[in-house]
Amino acid sequence: SSGTGAGTGSCSARARARRLLSCAPSWQLPRAVCPGRGGKTAELCEPQGRGAGNNLGILWSERDEIKTAQTYLESAEALYNQYMKEDGNPPLDPSEHFMAEEEKLTDQERSKRFEKAYTHTLYYLAQVYQHLEMIEKAAQYCHTTLKRQLEYSGYYPVEWALNAATLSQYYLSKQCFMESRHCLAAANVIFSQAGQVPSAEDNETDQDQQDLRQRKAEIARCWIKYCLNLLQSARKLLEDNIGELDPDRQLELKAQRKKEEDEKEKGRKKAVLFGTSDICDSVLAMEEKVSSVYPLDFQEAREIFLVGQNYVQEAKEFFQVDGYVTDHIEIVQDHSALFKVLAFFEEDYERRCKMHKRRIDMLEPIYADLNPQYYLLISRQLQFELADTYYEMMDLKVAIGNRLEELDSHTIKKINSLAQLAIKYYELFLDSLRNPDKVFPEELEEDVLRPAMVAKFHIARLYGKLITSDGKKQLENMQTSLEYYTFLVDYCEKYPDAVHAVETELELSKEMVGLLPTRMERLRAKLCPFI
C-alpha cells in the first residue's frame, strides 16, 4: 500500500516539503504524516530559531541538498530539546510581539503552537531520513509524529489512519508483528472517526465518499499483508528440509513461546502505544481480534487466515475487476497465498487438496479473462501459480495413492489429469518467454531465470509421474523427461552464473540424466519383442 499526499490545505511549507516525498523508496513510509492542514508558514516559527531551522530545511530540500536540509532540521530538533530541558514553559509566539497585552495568547495556546511546530520538525526529518535511506530512523520519526498528532489532536482521521497502516508495512518488513498489528488496529479505530462508510450499493456520486471507500480498502489490504506475512514467517520456522511441517520443531517452539511471550510483549509495548487512554482501549480491543505471535498449529493458523480472508472480501468490495484489474488480481493472489500457507498446517492430505482446489477455482477464471498482450507479467505470475498448484495437488494425490494397497483407476486418472494440467500451465509460462518468432531465448533474463528453470525441472518430473500401462507411451514419457532434465544441466554448463539459482534442482537433474538412459534401455529390452 502506498501513502497519500500530505494533506489538502494551502500550507505553503507543506507544498514545498512535498519535494522530499517524490524521491521516496518504492515501498514507502507514510507520505502524509504532516500535522494539520490549514497552517501558514508563520506558524512554523515558534520559537524563531527553530522555525528558521524548519524553513531552511524545506528550502534546501527544494534544491535537492538533502544533507544540508538534514543539518538545519536536526538543529531545530536540538533547539527544541535544549529549550524544554532548560526552561520547559512555552515561549512567546512571534505574533505576540505585535499584539496588545490583552490580546496575548494563553499559555495553553502557546504550548499548542509550540508543540505543533515541533511536530512539523519531526515530520520533515522523517522525510529527509527516508530520502537518505535511513529507513529505520525514518520509521521511528513517522511513528513519533503519528503519536504526537493524537496527543495534540492535530490530525485528520482518514489521513492519519492510512499513514499508520502504511507504517505497519515497514514493521512487517522487519518482522515486528506486534508493532505492525498495533499500527493497523489504531488505523481502524481512527478511521472509524471519519464516519460511516457507505456501501457499494448506495450509488454514491460524491468523490469524497468514493475516496473514503478506497482508503478503507487500502487499509484492508495492509491487514491482508499482515496476516499473510505472519503465516508465511511461521511456516519458515516450522518447515523441514522438504517443506513439510516438522513436529519436533513445533513442540520446541511451543515450549519456547510459553516462556518468552509475556515478558517480550510487556517490554516492547511501552514504546509503541498510540493515543490517549480512551483510544488505547479501543485499539487494544481491536488487537485482541488477531494474534501477533507465530501460529504453531492448524487452529492458530486458521484464526489468522479467517481474519485475512475477511479483509480480502472488504478490499474486493472496492477494488473490483471492472476498473481495478491489477489491484483486484493482486488481492485474489493474496487470497490464494493465504490458502496455500494454511494448507501447510493441515495434516490431512485430502483436506489440503481441497484448499489447493479453492486456489484453482479463484485463479483460473481470472487468467482466462486476462489479455497477456496488456498484462504479460500478471499473466506469467498466474500461469506459474496455477502450474505450481496443480503440481502440489498431484504430489498430494500420489502420497494418498501410496497409502493404498493398490492404485485404483480413479486415483490413476486423477494423478494423470493433475500432472497434465500442471504441464500445460508450465508450458504456457515457458512459451510466454519466447520471442515473436516463437524461439526460446538462448540466455534467460535474471528475473525469469529461476522460474523458467523450475518450470523445466517440474515438467521433467511430471512426465516421470504419468502412469500408463502402455510401455511405448512410458518410454516416450521417459524420453521427454530426460530432455527437460538435460536442458537444465546443459544450460548451467553453458552459463555457470545460473547455478546459484537452481542448485538443488541441478543436482537432482544431473542424477536423473545419469539414471534415465539405463532405465530406458531396460524398458526397451522388455519391449523389444513388441516394438
Side-chain angles (χ1 to χ4, degrees):
S1 175
S2 61
T4 58
T8 57
S10 59
C11 174
S12 59
R14 187 183 309 108
R16 292 195 297 272
R18 281 193 179 117
R19 285 290 299 276
L20 289 169
L21 307 179
S22 63
C23 305
S26 60
W27 60 268
Q28 295 199 2
L29 284 166
R31 298 190 296 165
V33 195
C34 182
R37 290 204 272 183
K40 297 177 182 175
T41 307
E43 286 179 39
L44 303 179
C45 301
E46 304 95 19
Q48 292 93 319
R50 185 162 48 79
N54 277 357
N55 289 328
L56 283 165
I58 295 164
L59 178 66
W60 284 104
S61 73
E62 278 193 314
R63 298 178 178 182
D64 291 328
E65 295 283 351
I66 304 300
K67 281 280 188 185
T68 308
Q70 178 190 3
T71 302
Y72 281 110
L73 290 166
E74 285 179 345
S75 295
E77 180 188 28
L79 189 60
Y80 170 87
N81 290 329
Q82 183 185 346
Y83 181 87
M84 291 303 286
K85 186 178 177 183
E86 293 176 2
D87 190 308
N89 295 312
L92 280 175
D93 186 87
S95 63
E96 290 187 85
H97 294 296
F98 308 99
M99 290 180 180
E101 193 64 36
E102 63 274 11
E103 293 174 343
K104 295 214 170 159
L105 303 175
T106 63
D107 280 353
Q108 187 178 4
E109 181 59 28
R110 279 182 197 145
S111 179
K112 185 179 175 183
R113 292 191 182 194
F114 183 58
E115 294 299 341
K116 182 179 178 183
Y118 178 57
T119 305
H120 275 84
T121 305
L122 299 178
Y123 159 68
Y124 297 130
L125 272 171
Q127 312 312 315
V128 163
Y129 291 139
Q130 182 170 304
H131 182 86
L132 294 172
E133 296 185 8
M134 300 166 69
I135 305 303
E136 196 165 333
K137 204 163 186 178
Q140 176 193 330
Y141 276 71
C142 284
H143 197 119
T144 305
T145 302
L146 288 167
K147 282 182 77 169
R148 288 177 62 85
Q149 284 180 306
L150 287 184
E151 286 166 20
Y152 296 103
S153 301
Y155 66 94
Y156 284 78
V158 176
E159 291 176 4
W160 193 98
L162 192 63
N163 289 316
T166 309
L167 181 59
S168 77
Q169 304 303 286
Y170 163 77
Y171 287 125
L172 269 192
S173 73
K174 297 293 181 184
Q175 297 208 320
C176 298
F177 293 104
M178 190 196 75
E179 291 86 341
S180 181
R181 180 186 65 174
H182 187 68
C183 287
L184 287 167
N188 277 17
V189 169
I190 299 300
F191 188 90
S192 68
Q193 296 176 2
Q196 184 64 37
V197 177
S199 67
E201 291 81 35
D202 284 346
N203 294 324
E204 284 283 342
T205 55
D206 187 273
Q207 187 59 43
D208 287 343
Q209 297 298 344
Q210 180 78 349
D211 288 346
L212 204 59
R213 284 197 293 269
Q214 182 171 347
R215 301 304 173 223
K216 186 171 188 281
E218 285 170 357
I219 293 168
R221 291 185 73 178
C222 290
W223 272 110
I224 296 165
K225 293 295 186 188
Y226 169 83
C227 295
L228 186 53
N229 274 268
L230 184 55
L231 288 166
Q232 288 173 336
S233 297
R235 174 180 179 159
K236 283 178 188 172
L237 281 177
L238 289 164
E239 67 185 355
D240 57 22
N241 58 359
I242 59 165
E244 290 293 318
L245 195 148
D246 184 336
D248 294 336
R249 180 76 177 133
Q250 187 182 38
L251 290 171
E252 179 191 328
L253 285 169
K254 280 188 173 181
Q256 185 181 319
R257 182 171 72 183
K258 204 162 186 178
K259 285 182 186 175
E260 295 177 0
E261 194 177 307
D262 293 340
E263 289 299 317
K264 195 174 181 183
E265 184 149 336
K266 278 179 196 168
R268 287 164 65 190
K269 208 148 207 176
K270 286 178 189 172
V272 301
L273 283 177
F274 280 129
T276 53
S277 58
D278 56 330
I279 289 174
C280 278
D281 290 343
S282 301
V283 171
L284 291 171
M286 183 66 66
E287 286 181 325
E288 285 172 10
K289 295 179 181 180
V290 61
S291 174
S292 67
V293 297
Y294 295 122
L296 299 178
D297 56 37
F298 180 78
Q299 189 54 40
E300 291 176 359
R302 183 175 176 273
E303 287 171 10
I304 295 165
F305 165 85
L306 289 173
V307 172
Q309 184 167 249
N310 284 338
Y311 282 111
V312 165
Q313 302 310 326
E314 193 173 296
K316 280 165 70 177
E317 280 178 24
F318 180 83
F319 292 110
Q320 296 181 15
V321 72
D322 184 14
Y324 296 94
V325 177
T326 305
D327 293 293
H328 181 85
I329 292 173
E330 283 175 4
I331 293 164
V332 173
Q333 285 176 305
D334 282 344
H335 196 187
S336 169
L338 283 167
F339 269 107
K340 181 180 181 180
V341 73
L342 180 65
F344 167 80
F345 290 90
E346 176 55 70
E347 293 176 8
D348 184 277
Y349 286 176
E350 289 287 2
R351 279 170 57 85
R352 205 189 285 191
C353 249
K354 285 174 184 171
M355 290 179 196
H356 289 303
K357 181 64 169 68
R358 288 287 302 274
R359 297 173 63 206
I360 295 290
D361 291 344
M362 65 178 77
L363 294 171
E364 270 192 332
I366 286 178
Y367 172 73
D369 291 340
L370 204 62
N371 186 337
Q373 188 178 342
Y374 300 109
Y375 298 100
L376 180 60
L377 181 60
I378 295 173
S379 184
R380 284 177 178 170
Q381 289 172 354
L382 292 173
Q383 286 162 351
F384 197 89
E385 186 170 357
L386 283 163
D388 255 10
T389 309
Y390 277 121
Y391 183 85
E392 182 79 22
M393 289 174 72
M394 184 275 300
D395 260 350
L396 287 166
K397 288 295 180 185
V398 168
I400 292 165
N402 289 340
R403 293 174 177 177
L404 304 173
E405 287 184 20
E406 189 177 341
L407 280 177
D408 56 74
S409 59
H410 174 74
T411 306
I412 291 170
K413 191 177 177 183
K414 193 68 184 170
I415 289 169
N416 286 344
S417 171
L418 291 168
Q420 283 157 356
L421 284 163
I423 290 168
K424 169 192 160 183
Y425 281 107
Y426 280 130
E427 291 286 17
L428 283 168
F429 170 76
L430 292 169
D431 286 345
S432 77
L433 304 177
R434 296 178 185 276
N435 67 19
D437 298 325
K438 307 297 181 189
V439 177
F440 196 76
E442 189 174 318
E443 185 174 5
L444 292 157
E445 297 289 333
E446 185 66 29
D447 61 329
V448 295
L449 174 61
R450 175 159 176 80
M453 288 297 169
V454 168
K456 292 275 187 183
F457 176 78
H458 282 179
I459 291 170
R461 186 168 176 267
L462 286 159
Y463 272 105
K465 291 287 182 182
L466 290 170
I467 302 167
T468 177
S469 54
D470 182 339
K472 200 172 176 182
K473 188 65 183 167
Q474 193 179 347
L475 199 58
E476 283 175 19
N477 290 340
M478 290 170 82
Q479 180 59 43
T480 307
S481 186
L482 178 60
E483 286 167 10
Y484 278 94
Y485 283 127
T486 303
F487 175 91
L488 203 145
V489 173
D490 290 348
Y491 186 93
C492 289
E493 281 180 8
K494 189 172 182 180
Y495 303 104
D497 288 347
V499 173
H500 75 280
V502 283
E503 286 181 11
T504 305
E505 290 82 3
L506 178 60
E507 189 181 328
L508 292 167
S509 295
K510 284 178 177 177
E511 192 178 317
M512 294 308 292
V513 167
L515 289 172
L516 274 175
T518 309
R519 290 181 187 172
M520 289 166 70
E521 280 306 314
R522 283 186 200 144
L523 183 57
R524 279 197 194 96
K526 277 186 189 178
L527 297 173
C528 197
F530 308 103
I531 295 176

